[in-house]
Amino acid sequence: MAVPCVRLALLLCLMIPATVASPRSRSLRKSPAHASASRPTAFFEVDRPPRARGSSGRRCSTLLLSASFGSTFDKPPATAAYSPPSCLVKAGGRASAISLAVLEWRAACRGPQLDRIFGVWLAGAELLRGSTAAPPPNGIVWSVSKDVTRYASLLAAAGNSTFAVYLGNHVNATLTGVYHANVTLHLYLRRTPTTKPTPATAPADLIVPMSRALPLNGGLWFPIQSAADVASKSVALPSNTYRAVLELYFSSHQDDELWYKNQPGYQNGPFREVTARVDGVLAGSVCPFPVIYPGGIYPLLWRPIAPIGSFNLPTYDIELTPFLGKLLDGKAHEFAFAVTNAMDVWYIDANLHLWLDPRGTATTAGLVSYAAPPTNTTSSKSADPVDTHYHATADRLVSATGWVKSSYGNITTNATRTFALDYLLTFETLDLTILADTGVVATDGAGGVLYSAQTHGNFPLGWVYQQNSLTVTHGLEETTVAAGRWSSAPPYRSLRTTQSSLVEDEEGGGKSWGVRQTYRYNATDGCYFRNVTSSNYSVVSDHSNELCVKGAASAGVGTVTAALPAVNLP
Ligand SMILES: *[C@@H]1O[C@H](CO)[C@@H](O)[C@H](O)[C@H]1NC(C)=O
Ligand SMILES: *[C@@H]1O[C@H](CO)[C@@H](O)[C@H](O)[C@H]1NC(C)=O
Ligand SMILES: *[C@@H]1O[C@H](CO)[C@@H](O)[C@H](O)[C@H]1NC(C)=O
Ligand SMILES: *[C@@H]1O[C@H](CO)[C@@H](O)[C@H](O)[C@H]1NC(C)=O
Ligand SMILES: *[C@@H]1O[C@H](CO)[C@@H](O)[C@H](O)[C@H]1NC(C)=O
Ligand SMILES: *[C@@H]1O[C@H](CO)[C@@H](O)[C@H](O)[C@H]1NC(C)=O
Ligand SMILES: *[C@@H]1O[C@H](CO)[C@@H](O)[C@H](O)[C@H]1NC(C)=O
Ligand SMILES: *[C@@H]1O[C@H](CO)[C@@H](O)[C@H](O)[C@H]1NC(C)=O
Ligand SMILES: *[C@@H]1O[C@H](CO)[C@@H](O)[C@H](O)[C@H]1NC(C)=O
């Protein structure tokens, strides 16, 4: 649960003199007067529409759950029985019949309410995590569509499983908003289902949830309340596993909602790292993309265009294949999750994606090399007492190489993750950059590449505080190059999106605000571009297309990142 007012008061105390801070923080507690008092506003996160790969035949849609979330905090999740939709059963019921699966979350809320976190699980495996918007009194509607094709084996699993949604909401006399949500599964089926999916890169054969089991009060995620807290689950892997990927879901709340802004030496500083350990050995470490919730930093900044990743939180894949050597003995092994420097509270769970040798024979594996030096963190404070600069850095490498012998041969996998964080806080500005690189290369005995993916990520976040205005600039840039005989991913894909949001004091005490966002997805298999600008609650310009422009646009991206929004606020 995000509690924006409390967070903002803290931020303002840090950033501006108390005389300015108190009227500002007080005025934030009220939602602004609204132009059209009765019609709900449609909020949205800029994203590209999910697209079917290859030829897709039939499409069918199934309403999985319809529920209302009033006073649901720490209550059992809403649940429904799930069995594979009849169209999938008619198509043979195999996971490989699914060419695209999209989970659509559609929600509405009337009455003032805070932004709340929610999670969606099938058979204990998390499928979607998002924040709600922070509704103004006249109400909102929003929807999210997420590609959930990678969960095909769960969606096709015969028999009944439980579909669960937890959204921890509080309703009282001032915060009256009840969230209503419908969750629908759209399946696009192949006309001719493949009987032999591509090894290692088709959706996993088995997904093992690492979450808390129903029945319970609260979400299925594990709460992590401090740096010493560890959540763990013991799991025995099938002995014919030849690839394993751990997908992490997490979100930070309350004291750690805005971890990325913390001045060094205060609230554990601005560095957080989510770690996954297998039998006590560090297998992966992730420096999170700093998701801002729609009520975060300053709620008006995100109306109606939600912050990047807030309606559909990013997840992180950790390649565990190099570690299979210790995991194929049929015994249970401990998978543990923690957050370096955590404060109360992080919600974490994971899905273990496993690929199984179709011949059914036991695989064998061994670790070849492993390196995980301690995180290098630094922090310093400039001597200037008038305008103190706080600087902090952190960087980390985790790399492992291992072989797995299966009926596909003896395959060697190298998995490497690195990140570097750079933080600079001054009296009026924040400048944070996280660089995150991940690489996976699987080669056969002759050194031929079976599949490889190298991803370079850059997550800039900054703000500028001036006398009467606050500008927040937030970006996500991610480029992936993929290759190999088994690779089914586009050889090149790149996403660059930048959001610039501004809130200003008006003469006479009102507030004006505006958002400008550009979104560029450029890939071998297609492109998507959108440029949208809003002023107060209205979208004032919105252009999108699916044209691939060779080379042309990349030069402009840096300028957009650096510029203040060109929103014309009167
Ligand atoms: C959910 O579905 C019901 C039935 O179709 C509909 O009446 C309701 O408006 C929907 N709610 C949302 C939030 O879309
Ligand atoms: C699954 O659940 C449905 C509805 O609850 C029920 O009709 C059906 O018989 C169940 N199927 C199995 C295999 O348990
Ligand atoms: C409702 O809850 C909010 C947030 O917890 C609190 O600030 C507010 O005072 C509450 N209102 C009433 C009338 O209890
Ligand atoms: C730690 O990081 C700082 C800042 O990037 C760098 O100057 C220093 O050389 C690093 N130390 C090690 C041991 O890598
Ligand atoms: C697989 O290949 C690795 C590296 O080439 C080698 O060390 C290992 O012994 C091989 N495994 C088997 C079962 O042949
Ligand atoms: C694994 O990949 C990383 C990054 O590409 C590289 O630096 C490292 O040397 C590789 N390790 C092995 C054992 O090949
Ligand atoms: C935005 O809303 C404020 C009141 O909060 C108003 O004074 C201002 O004129 C509005 N701006 C636009 C462009 O409508
Ligand atoms: C985005 O739209 C705005 C407003 O129409 C325009 O000024 C700006 O140049 C556009 N940016 C790009 C990159 O197309
Ligand atoms: C888009 O991707 C292609 C490769 O698929 C590349 O040649 C081109 O330069 C890219 N364009 C931009 C704007 O990044």
Side-chain angles (χ1 to χ4, degrees), residues 231-477:
S232 68
K233 187 99 182 173
S234 282
V235 170
L237 272 57
S239 58
N240 59 332
T241 304
Y242 70 92
R243 186 181 184 196
V245 171
L246 189 66
E247 179 193 26
L248 296 180
Y249 274 83
F250 54 77
S251 52
S252 62
H253 306 280
Q254 298 173 37
D255 295 344
D256 247 358
E257 181 191 328
L258 300 173
W259 58 268
Y260 43 82
K261 74 149 181 45
N262 294 350
Q263 176 183 310
Y266 172 78
Q267 287 204 323
N268 292 353
F271 167 60
R272 298 291 181 275
E273 170 196 41
V274 179
T275 58
R277 286 186 161 74
V278 181
D279 293 334
V281 173
L282 182 70
S285 149
V286 171
C287 185
F289 170 75
V291 175
I292 301 170
Y293 299 121
I297 301 179
Y298 199 117
L300 292 180
L301 291 167
W302 319 111
R303 297 177 174 180
I305 306 179
I308 298 168
S310 62
F311 282 175
N312 176 3
L313 268 64
T315 67
Y316 303 83
D317 285 349
I318 294 173
E319 183 73 44
L320 292 186
T321 310
F323 300 96
L324 282 176
K326 294 202 306 180
L327 302 175
L328 297 170
D329 56 4
K331 300 200 176 93
H333 294 269
E334 190 194 56
F335 294 78
F337 310 100
V339 183
T340 305
N341 294 334
M343 301 206 39
D344 198 18
V345 60
W346 290 66
Y347 294 139
I348 299 197
D349 59 29
N351 300 322
L352 182 59
H353 296 248
L354 299 175
W355 285 260
L356 308 178
D357 193 331
R359 299 257 172 94
T361 46
T363 52
T364 54
L367 185 68
V368 174
S369 70
Y370 171 73
T375 315
N376 173 22
T377 58
T378 68
S379 68
S380 60
K381 181 179 163 181
S382 72
D384 183 347
V386 179
D387 188 5
T388 313
H389 288 41
Y390 296 89
H391 187 220
T393 66
D395 56 78
R396 160 77 101 176
L397 159 85
V398 178
S399 181
T401 301
W403 57 267
V404 179
K405 179 102 184 341
S406 68
S407 69
Y408 294 116
N410 184 357
I411 299 169
T412 297
T413 306
N414 175 342
T416 303
R417 290 189 77 99
T418 62
F419 65 73
L421 171 144
D422 195 287
Y423 166 100
L424 181 66
L425 181 76
T426 71
F427 191 61
E428 291 171 325
T429 62
L430 170 74
D431 213 329
L432 174 76
T433 302
I434 297 166
L435 299 178
D437 288 279
T438 61
V440 174
V441 185
T443 49
D444 62 19
V449 175
L450 297 171
Y451 55 95
S452 78
Q454 306 289 333
T455 300
H456 174 68
N458 182 4
F459 315 145
L461 169 65
W463 68 51
V464 178
Y465 219 122
Q466 279 155 342
Q467 189 59 43
N468 299 311
S469 70
L470 169 66
T471 304
V472 178
T473 307
H474 195 200
L476 171 66
E477 301 175 9

Side-chain angles (χ1 to χ4, degrees), residues 516 518 520 529 531-533 541 543 560 566:
R516 173 171 167 188
T518 54
R520 281 192 184 80
F529 169 80
N531 178 14
V532 53
T533 307
S541 86
H543 301 281
V560 176

Side-chain angles (χ1 to χ4, degrees), residues 10 20 52 100-101 114 157 164 169-170 181 184 186 203 279 340 377 386 401 466 484 487:
L10 270 175
V20 185
L100 174 70
L114 300 181
N169 194 19
H170 277 297
T184 306
H186 306 283
D279 293 334
T340 305
T377 58
V386 179
T401 301
Q466 279 155 342
S487 180

